[in-house]
Amino acid sequence: MKFLAITLIAHGPNPLTGETRSTTERFREVVDNAALAEELGFDGFGVGERHERPFISSSPPVVLSHIAARTSRIRLFTAVTTLSLLDPVRAYEDYATLDHLSGGRLELIIGKGNGSAQARLFHVTTEDQWDRNQEAYELFRRLWREDRVTWEGRFRPSLTDAETWPRPLQRPIRVWHGSATSKDSVDLAARYGDPLFSANVTNPVEPYAELVGHYRERWAHYGHDPADALVGAGSAGFYAARTSQEAIATYRPIYDARVALFRKSGVEPVFHSLEDAIERGSILVGSPQQIVDKVLRYHERLGHEVMHISADADGLTPAQHRAALELFQSDIAPVLRKEIPSRPFPAAPATPQSGATTPHSGATATQSSATTTQSATAASQSAATSQQNTATSTGVPA
């Protein structure tokens, strides 16, 4: 199994102390957490995209570019890129640039997003947001793969023999489709042979398992090898301690403050107590063995190879936060890596030397085909062996 640490960059009062850090301090904390994730051995670090309170994650390419400069190995994810709100040409330019700055460590998780305020900000409606997401992705996909594009759609001006610069380092790039409730997102992922990332945050596992099942069904429908389907899944919170009693005692006031925030904003929480969330939800709070057991139970339902946990302290002290992440990497991750085989993440491409010529499209396609063949072989070998938009959610909406 592979592990990501993800943040939506919620910016609000500490749930226990009431203190609010400055915007500058919050951004620096995110970058520091990414460096810590690399230090501790996480496989990836993700930054969400939201355009409304209480989040300040409106510009993931900028944040991830700074993280790219502070790190050297960890894969960098968007979580999610809300293509329904964006001009796909501009999104392409931003992420192709980031692809180079990160040395080819970028992966995208896309989705239509949620939240009424950001939809109003970009004049997107519930009736057209899915169509916008699909159209934007299909154009984005072509822009990444083709040197010149002629295209016509509904939501942006047409393109005629258009060139976009810079050309990306990774050709192609891996794009995941984030899904919380949308079968449309699932179908789009399956149609193009792309991986799926289930939010798995707000509700019990059943609706997410249903969506993953639908993904695998549509994957086969579109003629893909079932062994090649790739699924990731989120979690609703994380705190590990040596004993369950210690973990619950430490995390309870944080969770209770979260529930109080839900109710104050008029949202009735799905899980009314920490014990209920641990029993029926995806939150990972407890001893290492309890967390291992829970992830394995969820894997039986979702078949996921990649999992994310929150990168944020979320009310924990810096010492508690680091200790929990260290315990995850020392006592939890090694067991799950052994129990749940996973395919390797894409290797960062070799950066062309100064003065080297860019391969022609045909050469690029050949190299890409070879890479795909290698990935499929690895996959076969491996096979043989939120709807709630809150300050503390770590979901991957779609």
Side-chain angles (χ1 to χ4, degrees):
M1 181 167 259
K2 300 286 191 298
F3 302 101
L4 317 181
I6 285 183
T7 179
L8 298 185
I9 321 186
H11 186 228
N14 182 298
L16 300 185
T17 67
E19 176 189 5
T20 300
R21 308 184 73 180
S22 72
T23 300
T24 302
E25 289 174 324
R26 182 68 179 103
F27 279 127
R28 287 174 177 166
E29 179 183 45
V30 169
V31 176
D32 288 343
N33 283 340
L36 176 62
E38 178 171 270
E39 175 191 336
L40 297 180
F42 281 85
D43 301 288
F45 189 90
V47 173
E49 179 180 335
R50 297 291 179 92
H51 299 269
E52 60 187 347
R53 291 177 182 267
F55 307 99
I56 54 173
S57 51
S58 57
S59 187
V62 176
V63 178
L64 287 169
S65 291
H66 194 59
I67 291 172
R70 284 279 306 274
T71 59
S72 60
R73 300 181 307 278
I74 197 167
R75 299 288 293 178
L76 304 178
F77 285 74
T78 64
V80 300
T81 296
T82 52
L83 281 180
S84 66
L85 309 179
L86 306 177
D87 179 346
V89 174
R90 190 70 182 110
Y92 162 80
E93 292 173 335
D94 285 342
Y95 286 113
T97 301
L98 175 55
D99 191 34
H100 284 278
L101 292 175
S102 68
R105 291 184 284 140
L106 177 65
E107 299 202 26
L108 301 176
I109 306 176
I110 68 161
K112 66 175 177 54
N114 59 25
S116 57
Q118 63 183 17
R120 290 193 300 271
L121 186 65
F122 289 90
H123 293 271
V124 173
T125 69
T126 55
E127 289 75 24
D128 69 17
Q129 63 179 351
W130 163 247
D131 291 337
R132 287 176 178 273
N133 182 74
Q134 179 177 347
E135 179 180 291
Y137 173 60
E138 290 174 343
L139 175 55
F140 183 94
R141 181 183 176 89
R142 288 190 61 191
L143 292 169
W144 201 279
R145 286 165 169 75
E146 301 173 28
D147 292 337
R148 293 179 180 269
V149 172
T150 296
W151 172 91
E152 185 173 350
R154 291 173 54 195
F155 301 108
R156 80 165 317 278
S158 61
L159 302 173
T160 302
D161 201 26
E163 291 184 289
T164 46
W165 296 95
R167 301 310 300 152
L169 181 56
Q170 295 182 87
R171 301 187 71 172
I173 192 172
R174 184 161 71 175
V175 178
W176 302 68
H177 295 248
S179 177
T181 60
S182 173
K183 286 189 175 180
D184 289 326
S185 294
V186 166
D187 188 83
L188 187 65
R191 186 187 321 166
Y192 283 104
D194 294 331
L196 178 73
F197 216 108
S198 170
N200 191 39
V201 169
T202 305
N203 296 299
V205 70
E206 286 77 16
Y208 304 115
E210 180 179 349
L211 280 174
V212 171
H214 183 68
Y215 167 69
R216 296 186 189 279
E217 176 186 321
R218 299 305 293 170
W219 180 277
H221 169 80
Y222 287 116
H224 305 301
D225 185 342
D228 292 339
L230 177 59
V231 175
S235 59
F238 167 74
Y239 182 66
R242 288 296 175 186
T243 67
S244 60
Q245 293 84 356
E246 179 187 351
I248 290 172
T250 300
Y251 202 78
R252 184 184 303 282
I254 296 171
Y255 187 85
D256 289 348
R258 183 185 305 178
V259 170
L261 180 62
F262 287 166
R263 289 179 170 146
K264 183 178 180 180
S265 62
V267 176
E268 188 61 24
V270 174
F271 308 110
H272 299 283
S273 68
L274 178 55
E275 285 78 7
D276 185 31
I278 292 172
E279 175 65 25
R280 299 192 299 121
S282 65
I283 194 169
L284 302 175
V285 175
S287 68
Q289 188 60 55
Q290 287 174 312
I291 291 174
V292 166
D293 291 343
K294 184 167 187 175
V295 173
L296 291 176
R297 289 198 304 273
Y298 266 68
H299 177 71
E300 290 177 359
R301 301 295 304 275
L302 302 175
H304 57 309
E305 297 180 27
V306 181
M307 185 184 78
H308 85 55
I309 66 172
S310 175
D312 296 321
D314 192 26
L316 298 168
T317 68
Q320 290 170 331
H321 182 222
R322 181 178 183 114
L325 294 178
E326 288 177 341
L327 189 59
F328 183 88
Q329 287 294 350
S330 65
D331 288 32
I332 299 170
V335 179
L336 293 174
R337 291 185 195 277
K338 180 179 179 181
E339 293 292 327
I340 303 174
S342 57
R343 284 157 273 197
F345 278 0
T351 304
Q353 297 298 312
S354 177
T357 57
T358 302
H360 294 297
S361 297
T364 302
T366 301
Q367 293 166 352
S368 179
S369 176
T371 301
T372 302
T373 302
Q374 292 169 356
S375 298
T377 301
S380 299
Q381 292 171 345
S382 176
T385 3
S386 124
Q387 290 288 307
Q388 289 173 346
N389 189 13
T390 68
T392 53
S393 77
T394 55
V396 184

